[in-house]
Amino acid sequence: MDTIEATESHYIRCIKPNEAKQAWAFDAPMVLAQLRACGVLETIRISCAGYPSRLPIPDFIHRYRILLPGPMEPLTPESSLDEYRALAGRILAVAFDQQPDRSQVGLTKVFFRAGMLALVEKQRVERLNVAATTIQALVRCFQQRQRFLREKRAVLLLQTLARGVLARRQLRMLRDTSAATSIQALARGFLARALFRTTIRGIVALQAQVRGTQARARFLDMSKEHAAIQIQRTVRGYQARKQCKHELRLITRMQGRLRQRLAKRLVEKRKEEARSAAHFQEVTYQLEGKLMALTRQLDESQTRSAQLAEKLRQAHVESQQLRDAQSATIASATAELSARVEQLQKDKAASDERCAELTQNMTDAQTELEHVRGQA
């Protein structure tokens, strides 16, 4: 008995398939009657009503922890039994969608109702199939990507080589075209410059001839005009001088006669006034004052005459410089300077006349003063 209790006993029930015990012949009512008589059906019914399938908790966790979504904390041999039981409960909750009547977690084992373990196994297989499919997809994707990258590198290399060949060919063509264009540009530029220089030389020569002809014509006209102006100026100057001399002679005669009359009247008046000593003294003072005024006016006239002579000399110098520097405007400049010289000459003549008149007046005054003194 001790030996039997130490072992795990199994009972074997023999079921006859048919009355004749022939091979490959199965009598279903007879087999069912034997199972009912042996209590097998009742045992099966009782087993189905309870939890016929069971697994130790560590084995269950090791086999079905793949059903948990996401990562989980690994269990170590030092983990407590409660941690194992809690993890097994989580796996069952995920597997049976929160239906606790299909399984139970015992102290050391996990119990399943009939068919539930197969369902869990099916979910495990499906999860493994999904994981395998995902791994296969990733591996194939990696392989195809590596293949694609190799093909892409090969294609890029071929494209690079082909584009390099085409680029070098195009570069040679562009260089040839650029060289031909540069040669054409240089040749056309040389021809254009030669034609331009020839045209410029012809135009310059033609312009020189035309301008020379025009300049000679203008110079001839200016020479004729200048000669005519010189002749007119000489004739008009001669006529003016002749008229001026004639008028001066007439004026001088008239002034002489008038002054003679005035002098006679003044002498007669002075003779009458000279009879008294006081009147003689007053007349002497007046004559001396008049003599000093005439002397001052004479000095001023001489100074003005010298200034006019200097201006006349400067005008001659300026006229000579302008004639040397500006031959193109010699006519107008000469006319202007000639007018200025004539005006200065007129001013000088008027100054000389005034100076002569003042000198004559001073001489007359001195003579009259001496005459008065002689009478006194």
Side-chain angles (χ1 to χ4, degrees):
M1 291 301 294
D2 293 334
T3 303
I4 293 173
E5 291 178 357
T7 60
E8 187 175 354
S9 302
H10 297 280
Y11 297 94
I12 301 174
R13 294 181 177 88
C14 296
I15 303 299
K16 296 179 181 181
N18 50 57
E19 291 292 341
K21 298 181 183 181
Q22 293 179 358
W24 307 106
F26 187 80
D27 188 359
M30 180 181 176
V31 173
L32 182 60
Q34 291 180 27
L35 292 175
R36 185 178 290 111
C38 294
V40 175
L41 293 178
E42 188 65 21
T43 302
I44 293 173
R45 186 183 64 79
I46 295 172
S47 178
C48 289
Y51 298 94
S53 301
R54 60 199 68 185
L55 283 175
I57 293 177
D59 296 340
F60 175 77
I61 293 174
H62 178 72
R63 184 171 180 82
Y64 297 107
R65 64 182 176 181
I66 192 173
L67 297 177
L68 289 176
M72 69 173 186
E73 296 180 0
L75 296 177
T76 60
E78 290 78 10
S79 300
S80 63
L81 185 58
D82 293 335
E83 293 179 357
Y84 278 95
R85 294 178 72 248
L87 182 57
R90 289 170 54 192
I91 295 173
L92 291 174
V94 172
F96 297 116
D97 195 12
Q98 303 296 332
Q99 295 180 0
D101 58 337
R102 295 186 178 183
S103 61
Q104 290 294 331
V105 179
L107 293 177
T108 59
K109 292 183 179 182
V110 179
F111 299 90
F112 299 93
R113 289 189 183 277
M116 294 299 104
L117 184 59
L119 179 61
V120 176
E121 186 67 23
K122 181 182 178 182
Q123 292 182 5
R124 177 177 176 274
V125 172
E126 290 177 355
R127 180 60 64 85
L128 290 176
N129 290 335
V130 172
T133 303
T134 304
I135 293 171
Q136 288 177 355
L138 293 175
V139 171
R140 290 173 182 173
C141 177
F142 176 76
Q143 292 176 351
Q144 292 298 323
R145 182 171 179 79
Q146 293 299 318
R147 180 182 176 185
F148 170 74
L149 292 177
R150 287 195 300 271
E151 292 178 355
K152 183 179 179 180
R153 285 194 294 268
V155 170
L156 289 177
L157 180 60
L158 291 175
Q159 288 179 350
T160 303
L161 295 175
R163 288 173 182 170
V165 172
L166 293 176
R168 286 189 290 272
R169 186 180 301 171
Q170 186 177 4
L171 179 60
R172 285 196 296 271
M173 183 174 66
L174 290 176
R175 285 179 178 174
D176 295 340
T177 304
S178 178
T181 305
S182 299
I183 294 171
Q184 289 177 356
L186 292 175
R188 290 173 182 172
F190 175 76
L191 294 176
R193 285 191 294 273
L195 180 61
F196 177 74
R197 285 195 292 268
T198 303
T199 306
I200 289 296
R201 284 197 294 269
I203 292 172
V204 170
L206 182 61
Q207 287 179 349
Q209 291 180 0
V210 173
R211 289 173 181 173
T213 303
Q214 294 177 353
R216 286 189 290 272
R218 286 197 300 269
F219 179 74
L220 182 60
D221 295 339
M222 290 173 63
S223 299
K224 291 180 180 179
E225 184 179 359
H226 181 66
I229 291 172
Q230 292 292 335
I231 293 171
Q232 290 176 358
R233 185 179 64 180
T234 304
V235 172
R236 290 173 182 173
Y238 174 74
Q239 292 176 356
R241 285 191 297 273
K242 184 177 179 181
Q243 183 70 21
C244 182
K245 288 180 181 180
H246 180 67
E247 291 177 358
L248 285 176
R249 282 196 298 270
L250 293 177
I251 292 171
T252 302
R253 289 179 183 178
M254 292 177 66
Q255 286 179 352
R257 292 179 182 179
L258 181 61
R259 288 172 182 172
Q260 186 178 6
R261 291 180 183 180
L262 293 175
K264 288 180 180 181
R265 292 178 184 177
L266 183 62
V267 168
E268 290 177 358
K269 185 177 181 180
R270 297 286 175 80
K271 286 181 180 180
E272 292 177 0
E273 293 176 354
R275 294 172 184 176
S276 62
H279 181 70
F280 174 74
Q281 188 69 26
E282 183 180 356
V283 168
T284 302
Y285 289 152
Q286 290 179 356
L287 290 175
E288 288 179 354
K290 188 175 182 180
L291 180 62
M292 292 175 65
L294 291 174
T295 303
R296 186 171 58 256
Q297 291 180 359
L298 179 60
D299 294 336
E300 292 177 355
S301 298
Q302 291 177 354
T303 303
R304 185 178 179 186
S305 178
Q307 292 177 356
L308 291 174
E310 181 64 23
K311 289 182 179 180
L312 180 62
R313 186 184 65 79
Q314 292 179 359
H316 281 294
V317 172
E318 292 178 0
S319 177
Q320 184 64 29
Q321 291 177 354
L322 290 173
R323 282 198 299 270
D324 295 338
Q326 300 178 353
S327 59
T329 59
I330 188 171
S332 59
T334 304
E336 183 180 355
L337 289 175
S338 299
R340 186 176 178 183
V341 170
E342 289 178 1
Q343 184 66 31
L344 291 174
Q345 287 178 351
K346 289 180 181 180
D347 293 341
K348 186 176 181 301
S351 179
D352 293 339
E353 183 179 356
R354 178 66 177 168
C355 184
E357 184 179 355
L358 291 174
T359 303
Q360 183 66 32
N361 293 333
M362 187 176 66
T363 304
D364 295 340
Q366 287 179 354
T367 303
E368 186 177 357
L369 181 61
E370 290 177 357
H371 180 69
V372 172
R373 286 177 179 177
Q375 290 181 357

